[in-house]
Amino acid sequence: MLFPQSQLLLRNLNDLQGKVLLVEPMADDLAQELTRAGVDFSVYCTDAAVAKAFSRANACYFAARLETTDKFDTVVLFYPKSKEQLAFTLAELSAVLHTDSQIYLVGDNKGGIKSLVAHAAKFGLHAHKLDNAKHCLWFALTGLFAKPLPKQDFGRFKLSAQIAGVSKDLEFCSLPGVFNHGKLDAGTALLLQQLGHVQSGKVLDFACGAGIIGALLKLQQPAIELYATDICALAAASTTATLALNKLQGQVRCQDGLTADLPKFQHIVTNPPFHTGLKTDLSVAEIFISQCKQHLTSGGTLTLVANAHLPYAQWLQTAFGNVKELARQQGFVVYQSKFSG
């Protein structure tokens, strides 16, 4: 399976000269196609599923930061979901370029790449459209070697939230590309109000983002043993920084879904993702819900927030045999299921 962005890249295969670096590609079969074509490629990505898909690359730099002394002749950047992340990633690329490096960007027409020319100009760079197919665009970008963007550090933000009826203030860290970067979204705010039952034991903040849920729970109940996971290295790094900033203890892992090496939890709490890239992908949440029982102790709970129109209640009932609606507001619903095994 190939996403349209990968198909457009293969259509422009002749542009991939010398040592090639793919930046934030999609989790598909592109690696196999490039290997068959004899392309000398490496990957820089912040997504655990992408890292797994590109394990056959010459090198896979799977981390929030691009740390290598290698230089690349061709760099292909898959246009990110946020313009803030574009600036962050371009800044990371400066160190791997040489005078003659060629940079290309590929992206879905609906993902913001149509405004690349104007956006690049704000950085003092020039973007030139080369191809248009598969509802995607292929651009060349020039000027980054001569005018590198400054590297970005964690943003530090403040919020106030109600958690189990108690108002809490939190200072947290976030990198561009993390879900709802620098803000407390309405769904998470509603979820926090329903977490009074989380008082002890091992607790998992799944899809932790910037670590807001886990940090507030730990501040509220210092005795809990906190774990936090996210598929995104930017999120895992942000959560680690948030916990450190607040002098809180917790285990943070960057991984795709629930893995066998995780312990059993008394509570799992989450505002789960339902997108893969730009596309709605409900299978992520459905698989997560179906696997949760294996990671809960007897009497353990799964509490999550979801958009009201999504079929989470049905999946929870199927998986656990029970589901309770705890709150409903602004198009969001908080559900809870208990494992009686």
Side-chain angles (χ1 to χ4, degrees):
M1 182 270 292
L2 288 172
F3 284 95
Q5 295 93 319
S6 297
Q7 294 177 43
L8 184 55
L9 179 148
L10 292 173
R11 174 175 155 129
N12 290 277
L13 198 60
N14 289 338
D15 286 339
L16 276 55
Q17 300 297 317
K19 288 181 63 175
V20 176
L21 179 67
L22 304 179
V23 181
E24 303 286 22
M26 320 292 285
D28 60 11
D29 296 330
L30 180 59
Q32 292 90 310
E33 296 296 328
L34 293 177
T35 300
R36 267 196 287 271
V39 177
D40 177 10
F41 69 99
S42 299
V43 172
Y44 164 45
C45 66
T46 59
D47 185 293
V50 173
K52 183 178 179 180
F54 283 85
S55 59
R56 293 170 58 181
N58 291 338
C60 183
Y61 308 104
F62 171 45
R65 304 284 188 180
L66 178 56
E67 296 181 359
T68 178
T69 57
D70 288 347
K71 304 291 183 181
F72 294 90
D73 305 302
T74 304
V75 175
V76 180
L77 171 57
F78 286 66
Y79 197 84
K81 283 195 283 188
S82 76
K83 290 182 179 179
E84 292 172 319
Q85 188 179 351
L86 176 62
F88 173 87
T89 305
L90 288 174
E92 292 295 310
L93 294 178
S94 299
V96 302
L97 304 176
H98 57 70
T99 311
D100 298 320
S101 297
Q102 302 296 312
I103 305 174
Y104 300 96
L105 282 89
V106 63
D108 190 295
N109 286 338
K110 296 180 180 178
I113 197 169
K114 286 184 176 182
S115 63
L116 178 61
V117 172
H119 197 61
K122 293 179 181 177
F123 302 143
L125 308 175
H126 176 71
H128 177 63
K129 187 172 74 173
L130 300 177
D131 198 4
N132 180 2
K134 308 291 182 183
H135 304 289
C136 296
L137 295 171
W138 179 262
F139 279 91
L141 185 73
T142 56
L144 188 60
F145 181 80
K147 219 177 216 185
L149 275 62
K151 287 208 170 191
Q152 298 182 35
D153 203 350
F154 293 97
R156 288 175 59 163
F157 307 91
K158 293 182 179 180
L159 63 81
S160 294
Q162 290 284 326
I163 177 165
V166 178
S167 182
K168 288 283 185 182
D169 296 326
L170 178 73
E171 189 171 4
F172 66 100
C173 299
S174 184
L175 289 171
V178 174
F179 170 69
N180 226 50
H181 174 52
K183 301 172 186 174
L184 175 63
D185 64 287
T188 298
L190 184 63
L191 174 64
L192 287 165
Q193 295 173 28
Q194 305 300 320
L195 297 182
H197 63 287
V198 180
Q199 299 178 1
S200 62
K202 289 184 173 68
V203 178
L204 173 62
D205 177 5
F206 178 80
C208 56
I212 292 171
I213 296 174
L216 285 170
L217 283 173
K218 190 71 175 174
L219 285 172
Q220 178 82 337
Q221 299 289 348
I224 68 171
E225 190 175 340
L226 177 66
Y227 288 73
T229 66
D230 202 291
I231 195 171
C232 177
L234 299 168
S238 297
T239 294
T240 298
T242 294
L243 294 177
L245 179 63
N246 291 278
K247 298 181 172 56
L248 300 171
Q249 297 296 314
Q251 292 195 35
V252 182
R253 302 186 186 185
C254 186
Q255 60 184 56
D256 183 8
L258 297 170
T259 53
D261 59 339
L262 287 169
K264 288 186 179 290
F265 299 98
Q266 189 168 342
H267 303 289
I268 299 176
V269 296
T270 181
N271 183 351
F274 59 93
H275 289 90
T276 298
L278 298 170
K279 307 294 185 183
T280 298
D281 184 0
L282 298 180
S283 66
V284 177
E286 187 175 12
I287 291 169
F288 161 73
I289 288 170
S290 70
Q291 294 176 339
C292 272
K293 284 198 300 186
Q294 304 166 36
H295 296 274
L296 285 170
T297 59
S298 181
T301 63
L302 166 62
T303 310
L304 61 81
V305 65
N307 292 75
H309 67 280
L310 298 176
Y312 284 49
Q314 174 188 329
W315 297 337
L316 289 163
Q317 182 66 40
T318 299
F320 288 87
N322 66 87
V323 59
K324 185 188 298 183
E325 183 178 310
L326 301 183
R328 181 181 289 258
Q329 185 178 301
Q330 293 180 290
F332 294 98
V333 184
V334 178
Y335 297 112
Q336 184 178 98
S337 289
K338 184 174 288 188
F339 177 47
S340 57

